[in-house]
């Protein structure tokens, strides 16, 4: 279990998270929602051990993240960051295979299992015909799916994703959400920052809402993703378009 206790995050003099208690258990799929600048990326970085909190603790299986060896932690926690350069020298397959590095005996070891998994995930994410194409020549949506495939090939116990649906069309948004929800159903822990409350309600069991000035609320998606809560969260009026679907009115 990945657990944050009394977590406090400040960035640039702004309080983003105040006294957050969050427990992420195997088999759970969490959505992280909030307006731009609310602190979603900062929280994901902290949970991944990539940003030190101002107060509180983050533990994995009861031990602080710093107590875990970096290679062991890379096998347990995987993170998809929001921004990444597209200037990778190799093919789409080469790029996805980077996800197997934490499992390799050395940087030069051949990993047949990893290659098979990479091919399977690339095919599942509609990139089966792009294996040998240079990564830098892929479209934005194709690169995003390759990045997600890399994380899935890494196969960590905890998957932390910062806006995984960036650049994706409707079909591939649904495809990626189904794949991530399936990983949670298979015993993994998934937390993803999203801007789509309808998809969050459909695929995620629980939700964290980040408001301004450090206020956070969390709970079951059905309780969190209500019209009243979302209007307060995004500071705009919303119109219901169906079960748990909303658009600005």
């Amino acid at each position: 279990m990945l657990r944050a206790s009394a977590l406090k995050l400040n960035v640039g003099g702004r309080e983003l998270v105040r006294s957050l208690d969050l427990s992420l258990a195997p088999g759970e799929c969490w959505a992280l929602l909030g307006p731009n600048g609310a602190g979603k990326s900062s929280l994901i970085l902290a949970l991944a051990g990539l940003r030190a909190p101002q107060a509180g603790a983050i533990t994995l299986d009861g031990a602080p993240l710093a107590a875990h060896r970096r290679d062991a932690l890379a096998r347990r926690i995987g993170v998809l960051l929001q921004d990444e350069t597209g200037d990778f020298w190799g093919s789409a397959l080469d790029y996805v295979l980077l996800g197997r590095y934490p499992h390799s005996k050395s940087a030069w070891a051949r990993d047949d299992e990893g290659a098979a998994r990479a091919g399977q995930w690339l095919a599942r994410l509609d990139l089966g015909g792009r294996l040998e194409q240079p990564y830098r020549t892929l479209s934005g949506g194709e690169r995003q799916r390759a990045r997600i495939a890399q994380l899935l090939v890494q196969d960590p116990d905890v998957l932390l994703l910062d806006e995984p649906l960036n650049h994706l069309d409707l079909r591939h948004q649904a495809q990626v959400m189904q794949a991530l929800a399936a990983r949670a159903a298979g015993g993994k822990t998934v937390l993803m920052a999203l801007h789509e409350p309808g998809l969050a309600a459909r695929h995620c069991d629980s939700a964290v809402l980040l408001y301004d000035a450090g206020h956070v609320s969390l709970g079951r998606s059905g309780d969190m993703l209500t019209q009243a809560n979302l209007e307060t969260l995004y500071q705009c009026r919303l119109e219901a378009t169906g079960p748990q679907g909303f658009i600005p009115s």
Side-chain angles (χ1 to χ4, degrees), residues 2-27:
L2 185 64
R3 184 189 301 272
S5 303
L7 193 70
K8 180 178 180 180
L9 292 174
N10 293 346
V11 174
R14 294 176 54 235
E15 186 177 42
L16 300 178
V17 174
R18 179 193 312 138
S19 192
L20 170 64
D21 293 319
L22 174 64
S23 296
L24 305 177

Side-chain angles (χ1 to χ4, degrees), residues 6-220:
L7 193 70
K8 180 178 180 180
L9 292 174
N10 293 346
V11 174
R14 294 176 54 235
E15 186 177 42
L16 300 178
V17 174
R18 179 193 312 138
S19 192
L20 170 64
D21 293 319
L22 174 64
S23 296
L24 305 177
E28 293 181 343
C29 187
W30 286 76
L32 174 61
L33 288 89
N36 293 336
K40 300 184 296 298
S41 298
S42 296
L43 178 55
I44 286 176
L45 289 171
L47 292 172
L50 300 176
R51 170 167 288 170
Q54 276 61 52
I58 301 173
T59 59
L60 179 65
D61 296 338
L65 293 184
H68 296 266
R69 286 170 49 99
R70 296 304 300 179
D71 57 345
L73 197 60
R75 291 191 290 271
R76 299 294 309 283
I77 299 177
V79 59
L80 177 80
L81 301 178
Q82 191 176 141
D83 298 314
E84 187 175 24
T85 178
D87 191 22
F88 175 71
W89 57 266
S91 68
L93 179 59
D94 293 328
Y95 181 82
V96 172
L97 281 172
L98 292 176
R100 291 301 294 174
Y101 181 76
H103 304 275
S104 300
K105 295 179 180 178
S106 75
W108 300 275
R110 179 174 175 80
D111 184 359
D112 293 333
E113 178 185 356
R117 287 189 179 187
Q120 290 166 1
W121 279 116
L122 282 164
R124 182 167 176 180
L125 296 177
D126 288 342
L127 292 171
R130 301 284 193 272
L131 273 67
E132 300 305 323
Q133 183 171 332
Y135 175 78
R136 64 177 178 270
T137 68
L138 298 176
S139 71
E142 289 169 337
R143 284 199 301 271
Q144 183 73 348
R145 285 168 10 237
R147 297 176 66 221
I148 293 167
Q150 183 189 94
L151 179 62
L152 293 169
V153 165
Q154 182 182 343
D155 196 31
D157 296 323
V158 180
L159 294 83
L160 305 172
L161 303 99
D162 194 356
E163 299 194 22
L165 305 185
N166 271 354
H167 308 298
L168 300 187
D169 58 34
L170 293 178
R171 175 190 173 191
H172 290 112
Q173 287 182 19
Q175 188 182 69
V176 165
M177 291 297 294
Q178 289 163 5
L180 294 172
R183 298 308 290 156
K188 303 294 186 180
T189 304
V190 178
L191 180 141
M192 59 186 111
L194 298 171
H195 286 297
E196 298 80 8
L199 290 176
R202 175 172 295 184
H203 296 284
C204 300
D205 316 301
S206 304
V208 180
L209 306 185
L210 289 187
Y211 299 84
D212 289 329
H215 175 60
V216 182
S217 63
L218 57 91
R220 303 295 296 175

